[in-house]
Amino acid sequence: MASSSLETGHPVTKRGIWGWMLFDWAAQPFFTVVTTFIFGPYFVARLTADPISAQTIWSNMATISSVIIAIFSPILGSIADQSGSRKPWIAFFACLKIASLSMLWFAAPGSPIFWPVTFMIIASIAAEFSIVFNDSMMPRLTTPENVGRISNTAWGLGYLGGIIVLIFVVLFLAASPDKGVTILGIPPLFGLDAASGEDARITGPIAALWYFIFILPMFLYTPDVTKGLPLAQSVRSGLSELKTTLHELKGRPVLTRFLIARMLYQDGVNGVLILGGAFAAGLFGWGTMEIGIYGIILNIVAIGSCVAAGLVDQRLGSRNTVLLSLALLIIATIGIFSTQADSTLFGLLALPVSDATGLFSSGAEKAYLVYGILIGIAFGPVQASSRSYLARNITIAESGRYFGIYALSGRATSFMATLGFSLVTYATGSAHLGMATLTLFLGAGFVLLLRVPERVAPAQS
C-alpha cells in the first residue's frame, strides 16, 4: 500500500516508509547499549577508580555535546531545506559516528579518559545531526493523520533494535569479572576478557556495525528531494533562512510555546536517559550484567508502549500523549532519587537489605526496577509524539528548518540538565540531589505544555 507524498503527489511506497522507519532501528543501539546501559555505566564504574568524579565527567561529556548540537542543528536544518537532499548529509555524519564508535574499543580500565570522552562527543553530535535530516523527511512520506502512528512505530522499532543488541550483549558477551562467564554460564564470545572491560568496550564497534547495515534500506528505498541549490549557495541561503525563521517565530506564539516546553522537558528526558544507568551503577554497584538486564526490561516495556502510544496519539492527539508520558516520568524520577540502600520515597517505605549475591536481591533494587518500568512506558512516546506534533503543525517546505529548530529545542538547554546534575553532585557529594534537578525540567515543560493546543491553524501556529 502506497502513501501519497504531500510534496509531489507521487506515491511513496510502503517499502520507502519502512526504509525511513528502519533509521530508528539502526540508530537506537548507540543510545541504548553505548550511552545508557552498557558503555556509560562501564565508564562510570570501571574506567576510573572514582565513580562520583566519573559521573561528573560523563555528564560534562553530554553537556559539551548538547551545546554543539544546539548551536548547529537549526543551521543544518535550514541548509537542508535549501540544498534539498538529506541523504548525503546523513551519509557524512554516519561515517563520523561509525568511526568514533569503533574507537571506543580502546577505552581500557586505567587508560586516559580523554579519548573515549572525545569519541563519545563526536558520536553523539553525528547521531543527533543525522536525526535532524531524517526527521525532516517525515512530513513528505505520509499524511498528517498517520504521522503520529508512523512516528511511534518507528520509535518502537528503534527500541526493538536496541533491545536485540542489548540481549545479545547480556547473554553472550557480558561476563562477571570474577567468574569470567556470562549469565548463561558460558565464556564470552570472541574470547572477550570481562576483567579488562572488553565486554563493555565492544559495544561501540557492535553499534557501529549495526548502524551501517540497517541505514542502507533508507538510502535504497526512501525517496529524497533531489532538486535544490548547490552546496555553497545553500549554506548562504540556509543561514539567511534561519534568521528569517527565528524572526518568524515571534508571529507563531503557539509553536514557539511548544518548542520552549519541549526544550525544557526534553532536557529532563535526556538527563534521565544519560544518567539513569550510571546512577544505578554508582548506587548499587551494578555491573554490565545487571545494567544490561535492567535495560532489557525497560526496552521491552518501551516497545509495547510505543505501539500503544501510536493508537493513543491518533485518538487523543500528540499533546495529550506527551502530557501523560511526562507525568509518568516525573513520578519515576522522584522515585529514583528518593531511593537509598534500605528505603524509597524519602524513607517512607523501608526496604529489606539482602545479603544474597543474586541479581536485584535487595528491596531497593526491586524498587528501582519498578521506577525503571515507568520510564520504559513513557520515554518513547514523549519523544515520538513530540516529533509528530511538530510534523502536524508545519508545512513540508519548512520542515528542514523547523526540525532543525526542533533539535535546537531538544538540546539548547540540555547542558543545563546535565550541568545541574554535575554542579549539585560536585557541591554536595550526593548524586541523589543531582538527579533531583531533573524533575525541575520535566515539571516546567509539563506546565508550559498545558497551554499548548493540540492543533492550530497555520496563521495561529
Side-chain angles (χ1 to χ4, degrees):
M1 178 179 177
S3 174
S4 295
S5 168
L6 301 182
E7 181 179 57
T8 64
H10 296 159
V12 177
T13 64
K14 188 174 182 180
R15 185 170 59 176
I17 293 174
W18 274 96
W20 179 84
M21 291 195 297
L22 280 175
F23 177 90
D24 284 350
W25 165 282
Q28 187 60 36
F30 165 64
F31 301 104
T32 300
V33 180
V34 178
T35 301
T36 306
F37 294 115
I38 302 296
F39 186 82
Y42 160 77
F43 182 98
V44 169
R46 299 174 60 192
L47 191 59
T48 69
D50 184 355
I52 296 296
S53 296
Q55 286 188 56
T56 302
I57 294 170
W58 187 254
S59 178
N60 290 339
M61 176 277 297
T63 299
I64 294 169
S65 303
S66 297
V67 171
I68 296 172
I69 291 164
I71 293 171
F72 289 101
S73 289
I75 297 174
L76 291 174
S78 294
I79 292 172
D81 279 339
Q82 303 302 314
S83 63
S85 299
R86 271 68 169 167
K87 291 181 182 179
W89 293 96
I90 296 174
F92 171 73
F93 290 115
C95 291
L96 289 180
K97 179 179 175 180
I98 290 168
S100 299
L101 287 177
S102 299
M103 296 303 293
L104 296 182
W105 168 253
F106 299 102
S111 63
I113 63 172
F114 173 80
W115 290 113
V117 169
T118 299
F119 290 126
M120 277 298 301
I121 290 172
I122 295 173
S124 299
I125 292 169
E128 292 291 342
F129 286 168
S130 298
I131 290 171
V132 171
F133 292 103
N134 181 71
D135 284 354
S136 70
M137 297 171 72
M138 180 171 57
R140 294 178 168 86
L141 303 179
T142 188
T143 63
E145 292 73 23
N146 289 326
V147 73
R149 178 177 56 83
I150 288 177
S151 182
N152 274 280
T153 300
W155 221 279
L157 279 173
Y159 291 135
L160 181 59
I163 197 173
I164 288 173
V165 176
L166 187 57
I167 289 174
F168 175 75
V169 171
V170 170
L171 293 184
F172 300 105
L173 303 181
S176 166
D178 299 326
K179 298 179 181 178
V181 294
T182 72
I183 196 171
L184 298 179
I186 61 175
L189 296 182
F190 316 124
L192 297 177
D193 178 17
S196 62
E198 290 182 350
D199 54 345
R201 290 152 48 195
I202 200 172
T203 57
I206 289 175
L209 179 61
W210 183 276
Y211 186 62
F212 172 75
I213 293 172
F214 290 111
I215 59 171
L216 293 178
M218 183 271 294
F219 284 106
L220 293 174
Y221 303 124
T222 303
D224 193 11
V225 179
T226 56
K227 294 181 180 180
L229 300 176
L231 179 60
Q233 188 176 350
S234 68
V235 171
R236 292 192 297 271
S237 181
L239 292 173
S240 176
E241 186 69 22
L242 174 61
K243 181 178 179 181
T244 302
T245 303
L246 293 174
H247 180 74
E248 179 184 292
L249 277 173
K250 296 179 181 179
R252 305 179 76 168
V254 174
L255 193 57
T256 301
R257 196 177 302 126
F258 164 73
L259 290 170
I260 294 174
R262 196 255 176 180
M263 176 178 68
L264 293 169
Y265 67 68
Q266 188 62 45
D267 290 352
V269 173
N270 290 339
V272 170
L273 297 181
I274 292 169
L275 301 170
F279 180 79
L283 178 61
F284 301 118
W286 285 357
T288 301
M289 187 181 299
E290 290 87 352
I291 290 288
I293 295 173
Y294 173 72
I296 290 171
I297 294 171
L298 261 64
N299 280 271
I300 288 175
V301 174
I303 293 167
S305 176
C306 282
V307 173
L311 301 176
V312 173
D313 190 294
Q314 279 189 317
R315 295 186 180 184
L316 300 182
S318 300
R319 167 191 175 271
N320 291 330
T321 304
V322 173
L323 286 171
L324 290 171
S325 300
L326 284 175
L328 291 178
L329 281 172
I330 292 169
I331 293 170
T333 306
I334 292 173
I336 284 174
F337 74 75
S338 71
T339 299
Q340 300 287 347
D342 59 354
S343 67
T344 189
L345 300 178
F346 308 104
L348 296 177
L349 181 61
L351 298 170
V353 178
S354 174
D355 294 330
T357 58
L359 292 172
F360 314 122
S361 57
S362 72
E365 289 174 289
K366 292 180 176 65
Y368 202 96
L369 290 180
V370 172
Y371 301 134
I373 289 172
L374 293 180
I375 293 173
I377 292 172
F379 77 100
V382 76
Q383 298 175 92
S385 289
S386 295
R387 180 169 66 176
S388 62
Y389 181 91
L390 181 64
R392 284 186 171 121
N393 288 289
I394 58 173
T395 66
I396 290 173
E398 61 191 13
S399 62
R401 53 195 173 107
Y402 272 99
F403 268 106
I405 293 174
Y406 176 80
L408 168 65
S409 75
R411 290 290 183 174
T413 58
S414 61
F415 68 91
M416 293 299 295
T418 51
L419 179 61
F421 172 89
S422 299
L423 292 176
V424 172
T425 300
Y426 179 80
T428 65
S430 170
H432 289 80
L433 293 177
M435 287 295 290
T437 62
L438 301 181
T439 59
L440 301 178
F441 294 91
L442 294 170
F446 179 91
V447 171
L448 189 56
L449 191 62
L450 289 172
R451 300 180 57 224
V452 175
E454 179 60 44
R455 294 290 297 273
V456 293
Q460 299 174 302
S461 64

